[in-house]
Amino acid sequence: MKKVLVLLASLTLVLSACSNSGNNGNNGSSPTASISSGGSSAAANASPNAAASGDKLRVVLLIPGNLGDKSFLDSANRGIELVKSELGAETKVIEMGTDLTKYQPIYEDIANQDWDLIISGNSTASEVFHAVASEHPDKKFIDFDTDFAEVPENVYAMNYKVNDASFLAGAVAALATTSGLPGTNPDKKIGFLGGLDVPGINAFLVGYIEGAKYIDPEIKVVTSYAGDFTNPAKGKELSLVQYNAGADVIFGAAGGTGLGIFDAAKEQKKYAVGVDSDQAKLFLDTDAEKANLIITSSMKNIDQSILRAVKNFQDGTLKFGQRETLGFAEGGTGIAENEIYGKLMNADMQAKINDIKSKLQSGEIKVDDANSMETAEVEKIRNSVKP
Amino acid sequence: MHDFLAVILTTDFAFSVLRVTTPILFAALGALISNRAGIVNIGLEGIMLTSALLGVLVSAYTGSAWLGLLGAALGGLLIAGLLAFFTLQFKTHLILGGIAINAFASGGTIFVLYMLTGDKGTSSSLASKVLPSVEIPLIEDIPVVGPILSGHHVLTYLSIVAAVAVFVLLKKTPLGLQIRAVGENLHAAESVGVKVKRIQYTALLLSGLFASLGGAYMSMGYLSLFTRNMTAGRGWIALAAESMGRSTTIGTTITSFLFGFAEALSNALQLLKIPAELISTVPYVATILGLVFYSVSMTRKANKLLKKQKGPQA
């Protein structure tokens, strides 16, 4: 009996130790599954020039955090799966966990291994990532999302015109709030929920506000910050406050906290706009009532942009040593135009959105970017539309 | 100022205070009852989190919200039982045991979620059930009071009932007396024949039960799904509420509501043109103010007592 108990105790300890240290093992998607048979034809379809390399392309993705965020990081993971299925590459995913001090040794380890492409991203990791990259000039790196404009010679970096996608989200919200959809009031009022009051999040906000004002200069935007990216209950509380104050549509850029918006929307029978990936898909099978209130989602297509970058790498056209800002044209950003969008937005509204989209692409509409703004400027914009 | 009052003096706001307070109150009652038996249960956060997941899983697989609640409660009892077993039987240090429970829950919930759904972030792919909200007849028709007090989640009402039950338990029952005796002085209690270990087991299990109800509330009503670390520190806030309430049922309940009020206030104030950073300090400022008031009144009381004692001699 005693032995069993001791065993139990040590098991508990080991398990809790594992949970604490994050998941820096290779417990992501299966590391080196071979794709010898079906892969080759897919590769041939996807990029005819890929045949040049006889060996299989070896690509590793390092996730700065853990998978399961339902937006940003999961999207990167989908990207590497596309690289595997469409380009026939040999891939591996490593979740580095949330302990930033572990990133550097992991990057070092990986850089010393035999990989053709090392992919990672997110501004929190960029500094270390770029430093390791410059110490390994013989290796090639892709940073899938960074605030850093200057990158080492062997790094290709990307960021996204989230302000453009948010502009569309704002336009959709502004159209919806006065559209007379069931549950909406005639107030010209919409809401925004941010995770933190920081430039990266305010880029969404500023785009959203400008998009809404483009539709209706009189519009009011209620703004809240949760101060937390993993507290959906707080997200729900803040959303309820906004709905009660007369907002009909809320757009959130708050990670897991943002999931609370959809619960609040369901309770109040109001509407929401998702972020980073098509979030209506999350609930379509399990909670259709909730999914049907998510008009659209502003998307940051990290999956497509990773696939695009790896394809360009195979073609030899990837521009190392610089950062590219991806928008609609490159498929880097967009909004989800699913059946719910089709149902809630009438033809007239959809036409307006399409018009805006082409004007954004042609550069006729220019959206401000909060990333290059002073804090006071953002505050001025934010306060100018507060009710 | 007018805006400020317009935000506070609404039935929506008062309603939200009750909603925000519920998980804190449950966990604080859990902290209270184990503390009174001389055991600091810092594993509340982990118990809440585990129960939040269990409620979702059991309700999704059985299709019944009430079975989900039962599963959550049993899970809470089990984990509290484990903690009790290791600390009381094997003399594991209480704090270490609590830390282990919290770390185990934070990683273990994700592990189980991933095993069952292939998802590491949320349980959105499971059709889990939520417990109902309750309209109270008669009260719901009263203007102002009705919209504030009626229509809450069933566990919100249960948390109030639980507070009363804990009060009665500690003050009026033999078990409560024994719990308090063990907490005051373990050896003295033992010397008069109180079965100390059994009392501490009971207290910890009750503590786990209350925390698990708080956890079930999080994922089965407050929200309709489980997400990674969704309790977000509410178990710790509960510990603070308990110690700020000086380990009394009434004090703990009041401070839980104070924390709930401050949190709801910081949510509602975001409507105004006040910087968000400033607003997010509201709960902490409220805590400090509460402690200051408390210590001032205690010092005054003590001074008065001192004067009285000195009085007759002088």
Side-chain angles (χ1 to χ4, degrees), chain B residues 204-227:
Chain B
L204 254 181
L205 286 175
L206 280 174
S207 163
L209 180 67
F210 285 128
S212 73
L213 293 176
Y217 173 77
M218 290 300 296
S219 67
M220 302 181 67
Y222 203 2
L223 292 164
S224 56
L225 72 170
F226 175 86
T227 68

Side-chain angles (χ1 to χ4, degrees), chain B residues 209-266:
Chain B
L209 180 67
F210 285 128
S212 73
L213 293 176
Y217 173 77
M218 290 300 296
S219 67
M220 302 181 67
Y222 203 2
L223 292 164
S224 56
L225 72 170
F226 175 86
T227 68
R228 174 190 286 267
N229 289 336
M230 70 184 296
T231 46
R234 286 175 179 79
W236 300 104
I237 291 174
L239 280 175
E242 194 268 349
S243 67
M244 212 169 125
R246 296 287 154 153
S247 296
T248 63
T249 316
I250 295 175
T252 302
T253 309
I254 291 174
T255 40
S256 296
F257 272 95
L258 180 70
F259 279 127
F261 176 81
E263 174 75 22
L265 186 65
S266 82

Side-chain angles (χ1 to χ4, degrees), chain A residues 189-327:
Chain A
K189 210 187 262 182
I190 56 176
F192 177 85
L193 175 65
L196 280 175
D197 188 0
V198 293
I201 294 299
N202 285 332
F204 289 89
L205 173 68
V206 169
Y208 182 69
I209 291 176
E210 291 186 352
K213 278 176 115 173
Y214 180 82
I215 295 293
D216 187 343
E218 301 283 286
I219 198 119
K220 297 293 175 199
V221 183
V222 194
T223 314
S224 314
Y225 296 94
D228 196 333
F229 287 91
T230 55
N231 193 347
K234 173 113 181 162
K236 183 179 181 183
E237 282 299 332
L238 290 168
S239 307
L240 286 175
V241 167
Q242 295 192 355
Y243 285 134
N244 286 332
D248 294 319
V249 188
I250 298 176
F251 173 51
T257 301
L259 291 171
I261 301 172
F262 308 132
D263 259 39
K266 187 180 167 188
E267 200 171 300
Q268 299 276 315
K269 308 268 181 297
K270 303 269 177 143
Y271 299 90
V273 174
V275 75
D276 282 355
S277 62
D278 186 354
Q279 291 191 297
K281 275 191 194 152
L282 280 176
F283 307 105
L284 210 51
D285 297 331
T286 52
D287 197 343
E289 195 188 336
K290 202 191 271 182
N292 282 323
L293 297 170
I294 305 173
I295 306 173
T296 185
S297 298
S298 92
M299 301 206 289
K300 195 170 176 179
N301 298 325
I302 293 175
D303 48 352
Q304 291 302 328
S305 53
I306 285 183
L307 179 65
R308 171 183 161 277
V310 177
K311 272 184 189 168
N312 286 350
F313 172 73
Q314 285 190 321
D315 300 345
T317 56
L318 196 63
K319 296 167 194 147
F320 283 101
Q322 52 173 280
R323 183 181 73 171
E324 266 189 292
T325 302
L326 309 178

Side-chain angles (χ1 to χ4, degrees), chain A residues 19 68 70 95 225 236 263, chain B residues 19 103 119-121 222 224 270:
Chain A
S19 70
K70 290 291 168 200
E95 292 175 68
Y225 296 94
K236 183 179 181 183
D263 259 39
Chain B
R19 192 173 52 212
D119 207 315
K120 290 182 183 173
Y222 203 2
S224 56
Q270 299 228 5

Side-chain angles (χ1 to χ4, degrees), chain A residues 3-42:
Chain A
K3 266 185 191 163
V4 177
L5 289 172
V6 170
L7 204 71
L8 251 175
S10 46
L11 190 73
T12 316
L13 263 181
V14 169
L15 271 174
S16 51
C18 290
S19 70
N20 235 4
S21 64
N23 305 316
N24 55 339
N26 32 353
N27 56 352
S29 65
S30 59
T32 50
S34 65
I35 332 152
S36 47
S37 56
S40 54
S41 64

Side-chain angles (χ1 to χ4, degrees), chain A residues 35 73-74 83 144 191 218 233 309 314:
Chain A
I35 332 152
L73 301 174
D74 283 356
V83 166
F144 62 74
E218 301 283 286
Q314 285 190 321

